[in-house]
Amino acid sequence: MTNAVEVRHLSKSIEGSPILNDICMNVRQGEVYGFLGANGAGKTSLMKTLYHIIFPDTGTVCLLGETINKGNNPVFSRIGSIIESPVFYSHLSAYENMELHCRYMGAGYENIMETLSLLGIAETGKKAVGKFSLGMKQRLALARAMLTKPDLLILDEPINGLDPQGIIEVRELLLRINHEYHTSILISSHILDELSKIADTIGIIDHGAMLAEVSMKELTAKGIDLETYYLGLLGGGEKNVEPYPHGN
Ligand SMILES: Nc1ncnc2c1ncn2[C@@H]1O[C@H](COP(=O)(O)OP(=O)(O)OP(=O)(O)O)[C@@H](O)[C@H]1O
């Protein structure tokens, strides 16, 4: 089976400083992949290179089996994303914002209400998005990413700034989307506990280098919590669980 995301030996420097160093990443189809790293580790930069918002210096990216080259790629229409803070027309309603997104994507309006319902924001009526809580905006961002029923979701820190209830709701929602639609999900966060609750596989990045990709099931079976594993990796300590073989 093709991987949903395959990154091979990707490196990027900005103004002479390396920010991504020989990254390999494999997100399997149908899984939730938690991309874990401290602030500044390189999570957003890698996600931007997937879309070629920033171009890698070396290395390759394959999304849903398609090699991504410079410029637009038809496969992007099968991918939903939240990369950096989502921007909305704050004086417009959720529905109106979704309509504009449909026009941009060349999609019909028929999925709008269903997607807003899925995200629990179908009842917001004419309320301007500028008056939404952060949690509601995050749901709207997810609704926008989900609108075309994508095969892959790429979500950069979608729980940032949410309160505990909001975090739980987004977690449950993503798991539901993953189970019901078999959507592959790549989600980045620096919140270790949260990723351990949602992800099948964890990829750990530090100072622009991918340290390991490891199965949560395997960690759990060995009675190792993600924090212990993470700290062990960063400290160069005993890993106890072998990461997946890395790259080619
Ligand atoms: N346009 C840029 N110019 C210079 N340096 C950059 C640029 N974009 C990113 N960097 C640097 O690359 C490194 C990785 O940043 P990045 O935003 O990818 O990390 P992150 O893991 O997403 O962090 P956070 O969790 O804080 O969002 C940081 O040291 C950052 O300062």
Side-chain angles (χ1 to χ4, degrees):
M1 201 201 296
T2 336
N3 282 327
V5 177
E6 259 183 37
V7 175
R8 290 283 172 273
H9 303 292
L10 186 148
S11 296
K12 175 74 185 174
S13 292
I14 296 185
E15 291 165 6
S17 302
I19 56 169
L20 297 171
N21 183 15
D22 199 29
I23 298 271
C24 293
M25 170 189 260
N26 300 287
V27 178
R28 293 159 194 217
Q29 281 205 16
E31 78 169 349
V32 179
Y33 183 107
F35 191 30
L36 176 66
N39 292 125
K43 302 181 295 298
T44 302
S45 301
L46 182 74
M47 285 176 152
K48 285 182 176 172
T49 61
L50 297 183
Y51 265 98
H52 278 208
I53 297 170
I54 55 177
F55 299 130
D57 298 331
T58 55
T60 56
V61 171
C62 230
L63 300 178
L64 301 170
E66 298 281 328
T67 301
I68 306 302
N69 294 309
K70 287 189 183 183
N72 210 348
N73 188 305
V75 81
F76 291 157
S77 65
R78 295 172 54 204
I79 303 170
S81 64
I82 304 177
I83 295 182
E84 295 196 305
S85 305
V87 177
F88 300 107
Y89 293 93
S90 58
H91 61 292
L92 299 181
S93 67
Y95 190 92
E96 288 163 340
N97 269 279
M98 293 287 273
E99 271 184 340
L100 285 176
H101 185 64
C102 285
R103 272 189 241 165
Y104 175 72
M105 295 290 285
Y109 298 165
E110 61 276 4
N111 287 340
I112 295 181
M113 280 317 289
E114 183 194 338
T115 315
L116 290 177
S117 291
L118 176 74
L119 276 297
I121 46 170
E123 309 299 322
T124 51
K126 290 188 173 9
K127 185 170 181 161
V129 168
K131 297 200 170 122
F132 278 21
S133 68
L134 187 59
M136 287 165 76
K137 282 186 190 154
Q138 215 58 310
R139 282 163 177 271
L140 182 57
L142 276 169
R144 198 163 60 181
M146 281 298 296
L147 184 71
T148 52
K149 297 196 187 336
D151 297 317
L152 169 65
L153 276 176
I154 297 177
L155 306 173
D156 187 18
E157 311 248 13
I159 57 170
N160 244 7
L162 292 181
D163 60 22
Q165 187 58 30
I167 291 176
I168 294 167
E169 285 174 9
V170 168
R171 182 203 310 147
E172 285 173 355
L173 208 86
L174 291 178
L175 286 172
R176 216 176 111 204
I177 289 168
N178 175 250
H179 291 154
E180 282 182 24
Y181 299 92
H182 309 290
T183 311
S184 311
I185 302 179
L186 165 58
I187 172 175
S188 78
S189 182
H190 55 270
I191 305 171
L192 201 136
D193 184 46
E194 198 43 44
L195 287 188
S196 74
K197 287 192 177 117
I198 192 173
D200 301 300
T201 296
I202 300 279
I204 298 174
I205 185 169
D206 186 51
H207 290 92
M210 191 71 116
L211 299 187
E213 287 182 308
V214 68
S215 148
M216 269 311 296
K217 217 184 245 177
E218 231 182 294
L219 282 183
T220 309
K222 298 208 170 176
I224 302 169
D225 65 60
L226 184 58
E227 183 173 315
T228 308
Y229 183 79
Y230 177 77
L231 292 175
L233 266 186
L234 258 64
E238 188 57 49
K239 291 200 281 279
N240 295 325
V241 173
E242 276 308 307
Y244 293 144
H246 224 53
N248 281 335

